[in-house]
Amino acid sequence: MTDQDPPGAEQDEGRAGLRRAAFLKAAREVFLEHGYDNASMAEIVRRAGGSLSTLYAQFGGKKGLFEAMVDARVEELTEPMVVELSAHTPIREGLQRIGERFMARLSEPDALNVFRLMAGQARTFPDLAGGYARRGPERIRSALAAYLKDRAEAGEVRIENFDVAAQIFFDLVRARMALRTLFEPDYHPSDADIREAVDRGVRVFLGGVEALAP
Amino acid sequence: MTDQDPPGAEQDEGRAGLRRAAFLKAAREVFLEHGYDNASMAEIVRRAGGSLSTLYAQFGGKKGLFEAMVDARVEELTEPMVVELSAHTPIREGLQRIGERFMARLSEPDALNVFRLMAGQARTFPDLAGGYARRGPERIRSALAAYLKDRAEAGEVRIENFDVAAQIFFDLVRARMALRTLFEPDYHPSDADIREAVDRGVRVFLGGVEALAP
DNA sequence: ACAACAGTGTAATCTGCGTTACGGTTACTT
DNA sequence: AAGTAACCGTAACGCAGATTACACTGTTGT
């Protein structure tokens, strides 16, 4: 009876879509809570509603469900990382803003948990792990590289390789927290922590990058 | 009949000590190969020789065995990290040497695997994970801080907080590789990779630290 | 209304593994 | 040599969870 039915729209909820979304959400919760091995398919169904049979029909099995879940999650976490950075913002301010946005994204509990989970399962799901690690940072890094290029042309910095420089900046900003959060599941940086870490990163970066292009 | 019997020496092999060592070695292999959950006690015994009963008698259970294994491993990996750095080495050379030593240690396949394994189990074994993360870097970092202080007093750098500076240096050097190796289990940096990464870190660090102490 | 189909619930199957029990064997002590 | 404690093998227990089978009930399209 429905007369809309958009032809190529898979993302919007048919009845199958609704079920699928519910399964993915529950799977995310349970996997992140218990880890891959200790997550139970039955509990996922319990939380999602629906039935075990449908779960298996839609995802094939535990492995398939996990992959689908991570895929969806990476998409969600990556998407909002595009930073609105008017190209001509002064460099210090621009770096600070892009750095904070980046760290805020990475510091959300869910993102951290996916991070940890993937690290643990890297050898079981090599493709997924590689993809996750690459897809996330890639987009924002190239955005930063472009921004650095713009600033270099404006004469604010002297940089030789923009991609390398962007990489260094992010590493500098995230290293401390990324490593710490991996091993202390209960540590969650506050906004102030983030601001401070980024500030320190920006200062070292601005002082140091030019040493790479003499 | 043995007339040696050193009084306080627990580390040297009694019969129990031999068994224990064999168990720990096998446990390390199996845990690192399959991950905590998929490691089977039976297989550990198969590799170590001995019997399941003895394993349980000595370690109490899977959890106890795991903790003992990680503990022993951390000890082994931490111990050789003390860097012989004659205090008055010029700073560029000193940083390069300490950085390379540090990275070489962290890049050994076993160290990486322990790293990944711990990250995955951080919420199951919070104490272990925290301890592991701290014990390793702690010693070498304070050695670096002392060295930096010496160099600062010699007028080679201007640094305000030596611990923070040391932290930044290590983060700068290790970030790239640590994160990459977490998600690409098959990636193993060569000596040349390490040298280059450290070199880059040293340059950015030396150029940038002083920006923290204006 | 009626066939085709996707979704539901529940139970049964199958497997693997941590853990314990136990009777026999070995190695050290005195 | 006798005694004691640790060690060995193996089998059994109990459990938990992935996966499958099956009989049912709604929904969809014509």
Side-chain angles (χ1 to χ4, degrees), chain B residues 16 19 50-51 53-54 58:
Chain B
R19 228 77 295 281
S51 83
S53 325
T54 312
Q58 289 209 359

Side-chain angles (χ1 to χ4, degrees), chain A residues 150-163:
Chain A
D150 176 77
R151 290 298 82 196
E153 281 163 4
E156 285 192 350
V157 267
R158 207 152 41 84
I159 288 177
E160 187 170 284
N161 185 324
F162 299 108
D163 281 320

